[in-house]
Amino acid sequence: MDAQTSQPSPAPHSPPPPHTFQVDLRGLVDLLSHHLYSSPRVYLRELLQNAVDAVTARLVDEPNAPARIRLHAEGGALRVEDTGVGLTEEDVHSLLATIGRSSKRAEGLEEARSGFLGQFGIGLLACFVVAERIRVVSRSARTPGAPPVEWTASDDGSYTVRTLPDAERPEPGTTVHLVARAGAAEWLTPERVERLARDFGSLLPYDVRVGDEAVTDLPAPWDRPYPGPAARRVALARHCHDLFGFTPLDTVDLSVPLAGARGVAYVLPSAVSPARRAGHRVHLKGMLLTERAEQLLPDWAFFVRCVLDTDSLRPTASRESLYEDETLAGVREALGERIRAWLTGLAAGDPDRLAAFLSVHHLGVKSLARHDREMLRTMLPWLPFETTDGRLSLEEFAQRHPMVHFTRTVEEYRQVAPIASAQGIGVINGGYTYDSELVEALPSVRPGTVVAELDAETVTAHLDAVDPAEELALSGFLAAARARLDPLGCDVVLRAFHPLSVPALHLDDRDARHEQSRADAEAQADDLWAGILGSLRGSAPRARLVLNHLNPLVRRISALPDPELIGTATESLYGQALLMAQRPLRPADSTLLNRAFIGLLEWATHSEGGQA
């Protein structure tokens, strides 16, 4: 067998060399200023945050080290000095020149991580939003022999690093120099810097000053000692006015020790919509994180604005809102419990303050009571409802009426309230937000109470029937009236009821309105859809016009000899009953009202002409 010639194996492919991302710093700064941060003002928070973190890191190793931060603004430039841990030349190359790297990750700092404000290492990069050049001079406290180092960067992405003589920075710490970019000098004025520093840093734990003016104001207003409760309320009310611009109706202490959260909730002095999302002020380890935290409290607590300092909640990447996680959910629930306990305490020991609160914010408490049976039970004697007996609590109304009737809409209530009241039927208007849900929940917290939705059948059953002989004598009148309203899906019934001044009452319910809407749609549909809608025809009772046999006008109309005139008068009574109930008019109803009005005018003018 011939020997085969062996071929050399191909050389394995070598992996391509790795590449690194190229970052356009100006484009990145534009991204930060227009999409990540809501305002250039955050640059000062970043500077304060870096300084506070540096001081915190140094105190881990040197508990007795100075803890000072100083800001000096002048001539379109800003200088920020801190007595923090400082940096070596190696730290500068590793940390300041690498976007996304944070000194919080440096070796030896992990044990102090819980004390840091920052989490993302964006750091000085945010300062380019207002500065064209940043100069950092730092000396390490951890490496005493290391000389001071200077890092200078421009917004074009270039930077230089050099060591300095010891005299340039004899003590450990860092100084940051900013030079304003074109159009941003206003952000580095002394007045703006002081205002921003007070806003962001009023609760910081270190000595922070702008020039000679102290920025921090500790302890926090809610943690300070006061001569008494009244003095404390006055001081907190002043704090609320300075912070939010209103004088609170009341204050609620907020404390969640497990989450390291302390603060106060201020009750708004005027009613607000439940759909409005209040912005709360949240500090993270003393540094202001956001003034618009919407998810801090449960939705039902829309009647308060709060200010809180915490050390456990996570900020988002922009550090301007809170990260939605289990910790935030737990804090939200705990804060809701504090507000709930405050309400319960008012109900038990301070009814006057509770009444003042409910006169403004009963809607918020009703929202809470929907889901909290204990709160509903507590608030039964206090929550106001519109009823046929006046404005009463559910407890008072249930004591007067073993059978509690309610309507689901304001229109239904307006239809039946005068008549039901005259007949001794107790009715609650459940048409307002949350009211019908609370009335239906009443038996669960008040055993033995019977709750029923009021419908047209119930109202009609409580009205006095007309003597059969009299009704038989009026059969022609009733036939003419029914014939005229039948196309509108409305029956005519004769009853005797008070008050005598009401000639007619229009009654319907949800089922009747649903059937009426279906019939209207069927009348306007083509053959196919008319057939489909016709198959959905329900057996619900139709709307009804209840004529009051005791009313003099109805008696005169019933005595008219002309069926056409009876029909026109019946249409007028129907339209007047709709208007009295403040019901929205369908196109067919408006047409009917117009026709009846013109018909009565023609009859009146014709009669006068005939008499002439």
Side-chain angles (χ1 to χ4, degrees):
M1 186 170 74
D2 296 336
Q4 296 181 350
T5 305
S6 62
Q7 300 293 328
S9 300
H13 292 291
S14 59
H19 299 280
T20 58
F21 287 105
Q22 300 298 311
V23 177
D24 178 0
L25 186 57
R26 285 178 175 167
L28 185 57
V29 169
D30 181 71
L31 180 67
L32 290 175
S33 60
H34 289 95
H35 300 284
L36 183 63
Y37 295 131
S38 61
S39 166
R41 70 196 295 266
V42 298
Y43 88 92
L44 193 68
R45 185 197 61 202
E46 294 291 342
L47 287 173
L48 282 176
Q49 179 174 289
N50 286 341
V52 169
D53 286 342
V55 171
T56 301
R58 184 176 180 185
L59 292 177
V60 171
D61 298 328
E62 305 176 55
N64 297 322
R68 296 190 306 270
I69 299 171
R70 298 289 183 264
L71 297 89
H72 304 274
E74 185 178 0
L78 174 65
R79 183 173 82 255
V80 181
E81 302 175 350
D82 68 65
T83 58
V85 69
L87 301 171
T88 63
E89 182 177 359
E90 182 182 355
D91 293 334
V92 167
H93 283 289
S94 174
L95 303 176
L96 296 185
T98 305
I99 294 174
R101 179 73 63 86
S102 169
S103 61
K104 271 72 81 176
R105 301 173 188 165
E107 183 180 355
L109 297 185
E110 288 299 323
E111 64 271 18
R113 179 90 184 218
S114 63
F116 291 130
L117 300 172
Q119 295 288 327
F120 302 97
I122 295 176
L124 289 175
L125 187 62
C127 295
F128 280 119
V129 172
V130 299
E132 67 176 7
R133 187 169 71 255
I134 301 174
R135 176 171 172 257
V136 177
V137 176
S138 186
R139 183 165 191 159
S140 175
R142 289 200 169 139
T143 312
V149 60
E150 177 192 71
W151 176 83
T152 304
S154 299
D155 60 0
D156 61 1
S158 64
Y159 74 93
T160 60
V161 179
R162 67 189 180 108
T163 58
L164 301 175
D166 289 346
E168 291 284 337
R169 180 85 199 191
E171 299 295 330
T174 300
T175 302
V176 179
H177 302 262
L178 300 187
V179 176
R181 65 190 307 160
E186 61 173 307
W187 293 103
L188 272 65
T189 62
E191 297 78 16
R192 180 64 68 90
V193 168
E194 181 176 348
R195 186 161 63 250
L196 292 178
R198 289 185 186 279
D199 203 28
F200 284 118
S202 62
L203 299 183
L204 289 175
Y206 305 133
D207 179 13
V208 182
R209 295 176 183 269
V210 177
D212 296 327
E213 296 295 324
V215 168
T216 51
D217 188 19
L218 295 177
W222 50 85
D223 286 330
R224 296 173 190 169
Y226 295 98
R232 186 174 192 274
R233 278 198 295 269
V234 170
L236 289 178
R238 188 182 306 113
H239 175 252
C240 176
H241 189 274
D242 293 342
L243 209 58
F244 296 123
F246 66 86
T247 300
L249 193 65
D250 209 340
T251 59
V252 185
D253 282 318
L254 301 178
S255 176
V256 186
L258 292 179
R262 284 281 298 157
V264 64
Y266 294 116
V267 181
L268 295 169
S270 56
V272 293
S273 167
R276 175 184 172 185
R277 301 300 295 245
H280 306 292
R281 190 177 175 94
V282 178
H283 295 255
L284 182 61
K285 302 180 182 74
M287 180 74 74
L288 177 66
L289 180 71
T290 178
E291 298 173 289
R292 301 185 301 274
E294 296 182 349
Q295 69 273 49
L296 187 65
L297 295 181
D299 290 342
W300 56 260
F302 56 83
F303 50 84
V304 300
R305 294 278 300 277
C306 76
V307 54
L308 193 76
D309 187 25
T310 177
D311 58 15
S312 64
L313 299 179
R314 290 176 57 195
T316 58
S318 66
R319 292 196 280 281
E320 294 187 275
S321 59
L322 296 171
Y323 188 83
E324 185 69 52
D325 58 11
E326 292 182 359
T327 302
L328 178 57
V331 169
R332 179 165 52 235
E333 182 178 353
L335 295 177
E337 286 294 333
R338 300 298 181 273
I339 298 175
R340 183 185 287 108
W342 168 76
L343 285 170
T344 304
L346 288 186
D350 201 336
D352 291 338
R353 283 172 65 198
L354 178 64
F357 166 76
L358 289 178
S359 68
V360 179
H361 295 299
H362 57 274
L363 201 59
V365 180
K366 286 181 177 180
S367 175
L368 170 59
R370 288 184 306 152
H371 308 293
D372 190 325
R373 291 294 178 260
E374 189 58 39
M375 181 56 64
L376 177 58
R377 184 180 292 106
T378 301
M379 291 295 156
L380 273 181
W382 307 101
L383 288 175
F385 288 78
E386 182 180 358
T387 79
T388 49
D389 292 354
R391 199 162 181 80
L392 299 175
S393 70
L394 286 181
E395 179 66 28
E396 292 175 292
F397 189 84
Q399 289 175 355
R400 299 184 184 186
H401 301 278
M403 170 66 78
V404 176
H405 289 99
F406 73 98
T407 63
R408 290 193 181 276
T409 67
V410 175
E411 290 79 10
E412 290 175 8
Y413 179 80
R414 287 170 178 161
Q415 288 180 67
V416 303
I419 310 303
S421 179
Q423 307 305 312
I425 307 174
V427 184
I428 296 176
N429 184 356
Y432 297 115
T433 307
Y434 311 133
D435 283 8
S436 61
E437 296 176 70
L438 295 176
V439 175
E440 289 182 296
L442 188 56
S444 67
V445 296
R446 197 178 189 278
T449 304
V450 180
V451 173
E453 184 177 353
L454 188 68
D455 55 22
E457 291 289 346
T458 302
V459 176
T460 306
H462 279 79
L463 303 180
D464 294 335
V466 177
D467 182 84
E470 290 189 61
E471 188 166 2
L472 181 61
L474 296 174
S475 59
F477 158 69
L478 292 174
R482 287 166 180 158
R484 186 58 65 93
L485 295 187
D486 185 68
L488 296 174
C490 183
D491 293 330
V492 177
V493 178
L494 189 64
R495 291 289 186 274
F497 57 85
H498 292 272
L500 300 180
S501 59
V502 178
L505 177 66
H506 181 271
L507 294 176
D508 64 2
D509 51 31
R510 285 182 302 166
D511 292 336
R513 288 194 294 276
H514 177 75
E515 174 61 21
Q516 195 172 59
S517 299
R518 186 210 59 77
D520 291 343
E522 180 182 355
Q524 299 173 14
D526 56 28
D527 292 341
L528 174 61
W529 281 108
I532 295 174
L533 291 170
S535 67
L536 300 176
R537 183 179 294 111
S539 58
R542 303 202 303 173
R544 62 191 65 185
L545 182 69
V546 183
L547 300 178
N548 187 359
H549 186 55
L550 301 179
N551 180 267
L553 177 61
V554 172
R555 284 180 175 273
R556 288 197 295 270
I557 293 173
S558 66
L560 292 172
D562 184 359
E564 184 65 25
L565 186 55
I566 289 175
T568 300
T570 302
E571 288 179 336
S572 299
L573 291 175
Y574 172 84
Q576 188 262 355
L578 286 180
L579 294 175
M580 290 298 293
Q582 301 182 36
R583 292 294 304 276
L585 298 180
R586 299 173 299 162
D589 297 329
S590 299
T591 301
L592 175 145
L593 274 174
N594 184 62
R595 183 175 65 241
F597 178 71
I598 297 298
L600 289 177
L601 282 179
E602 290 180 346
W603 175 81
T605 54
H606 175 76
S607 298
E608 290 179 2
Q611 290 174 356

